[in-house]
Amino acid sequence: MVVASEKTLDRVFYALSDPSRRKMLQALAADGYQVKDLAKSFPFSKAATSKHLNVLEEAGLIEKTRKGREVFCSINPSTLQHVEEWVKFYRQFWDQQLDNLETFLSENPKNSRK
Amino acid sequence: MVVASEKTLDRVFYALSDPSRRKMLQALAADGYQVKDLAKSFPFSKAATSKHLNVLEEAGLIEKTRKGREVFCSINPSTLQHVEEWVKFYRQFWDQQLDNLETFLSENPKNSRK
DNA sequence: TTTATTGTCAACCAATTGGTTTACGATTAA
DNA sequence: TTAATCGTAAACCAATTGGTTGACAATAAA
């Protein structure tokens, strides 16, 4: 498993915790990929849009390329893959812990408490 | 796919964006499962620990059970499964988009731009 | 050349976050 | 009964967040 650093996890989870930023990611996958296009689609200013895109960029979720005065954004799916692996690992781990507990309890039905 | 609501995604991603809270989840899977045990393991006060656990609880990542004056915490893996599915869905979707783009470009090598 | 567009930066503001300390109710132990 | 423990609530504080507006540099269009 490719391990994402703690700082990366901090940034990625934080970036994903905002519904506007999640929508931006979805929009980027579809068509509009310039800052101006995104700014038109959201109910806040150009500057605010730019800030949100910075958060996504610092989390490694998107990449920006400047062409003249325009900035093109594109998704970077590999970062999301790190997150997927982190979540999957712990979800499975915790499922296993619960299974172990249940097995233990069913094998020790009269287990005295304390 | 079980769709998590936007609010749930907000809360879960936000809860996971803090390294202390992620460590708490890991600790809960292992052994200590009372607020007092967790409070001993972290470099901040009981009250702060309690607040962090509230964030995890509101995100649906843990559940609390009161027994007398003690509060027992346990992991709720199903919430993490919603997140796993969300991440997996978009990661695959974006991968696909990129594949389509590459295919298009390789099939239109002399594609004039604008 | 002049004008319009694109994006970012800086300064600002209100709301939220993450921590503290203190006090407290409820429960358990002496 | 009295004293200690467990967890939460309230009040507070500094730092961060998410938005605004206005100015600006760089570029593209007229």
Side-chain angles (χ1 to χ4, degrees):
Chain A
M1 147 163 144
V2 182
V3 194
S5 76
E6 290 295 306
K7 267 268 175 284
T8 299
L9 288 172
D10 290 2
R11 292 199 182 112
V12 175
F13 282 130
Y14 180 72
L16 292 176
S17 74
D18 182 274
S20 294
R21 285 192 290 264
R22 290 198 302 277
K23 271 190 205 139
M24 283 181 186
L25 286 176
Q26 294 171 32
L28 284 179
D31 49 335
Y33 40 68
Q34 292 176 40
V35 174
K36 86 173 161 172
D37 297 322
L38 286 169
K40 275 184 214 145
S41 314
F42 288 86
F44 35 68
S45 66
K46 256 190 320 177
T49 305
S50 182
K51 281 189 188 177
H52 278 304
L53 290 172
N54 270 342
V55 173
L56 292 170
E57 188 185 29
E58 275 162 29
L61 287 164
I62 67 169
E63 283 163 11
K64 295 200 234 170
T65 318
R66 175 157 228 125
K67 289 226 172 84
R69 70 183 169 180
E70 296 172 322
V71 171
F72 292 75
C73 303
S74 60
I75 295 271
N76 175 12
S78 74
T79 300
L80 213 57
Q81 189 164 0
H82 295 343
V83 178
E84 185 180 340
E85 283 162 2
W86 186 92
V87 173
K88 189 177 178 183
F89 178 81
Y90 283 107
R91 204 257 304 154
Q92 289 176 342
F93 176 64
W94 290 323
D95 273 343
Q96 187 61 44
Q97 295 291 116
L98 289 186
D99 283 351
N100 291 349
L101 181 60
E102 279 172 20
T103 304
F104 174 79
L105 292 178
S106 68
E107 286 173 356
N108 300 268
K110 300 274 182 182
N111 177 40
S112 73
R113 311 217 151 218
K114 181 166 191 195
Chain B
M1 145 164 150
V2 182
V3 193
S5 77
E6 289 296 304
K7 266 268 176 283
T8 300
L9 288 172
D10 290 2
R11 291 199 181 113
V12 176
F13 283 129
Y14 179 71
L16 291 177
S17 73
D18 183 276
S20 295
R21 285 193 290 263
R22 289 198 303 274
K23 272 190 204 137
M24 283 181 187
L25 286 176
Q26 294 171 32
L28 284 180
D31 49 334
Y33 39 69
Q34 292 175 40
V35 174
K36 85 170 163 176
D37 298 322
L38 286 169
K40 275 184 214 144
S41 314
F42 288 86
F44 35 68
S45 66
K46 255 192 320 177
T49 305
S50 182
K51 282 190 188 176
H52 277 304
L53 290 172
N54 268 343
V55 173
L56 290 170
E57 187 185 28
E58 274 162 29
L61 287 165
I62 67 168
E63 283 164 9
K64 294 200 234 169
T65 319
R66 175 158 228 123
K67 287 227 172 85
R69 68 183 170 181
E70 296 172 323
V71 171
F72 292 76
C73 302
S74 59
I75 296 272
N76 175 13
S78 74
T79 299
L80 213 56
Q81 189 165 0
H82 295 344
V83 179
E84 186 181 340
E85 282 161 3
W86 186 93
V87 173
K88 189 177 178 183
F89 177 81
Y90 283 107
R91 205 257 304 155
Q92 289 177 342
F93 176 64
W94 290 323
D95 273 342
Q96 186 61 45
Q97 294 292 116
L98 290 186
D99 283 351
N100 290 349
L101 181 59
E102 279 170 22
T103 303
F104 174 80
L105 292 179
S106 68
E107 286 173 356
N108 301 269
K110 300 274 184 182
N111 177 40
S112 71
R113 310 216 154 223
K114 182 157 190 200

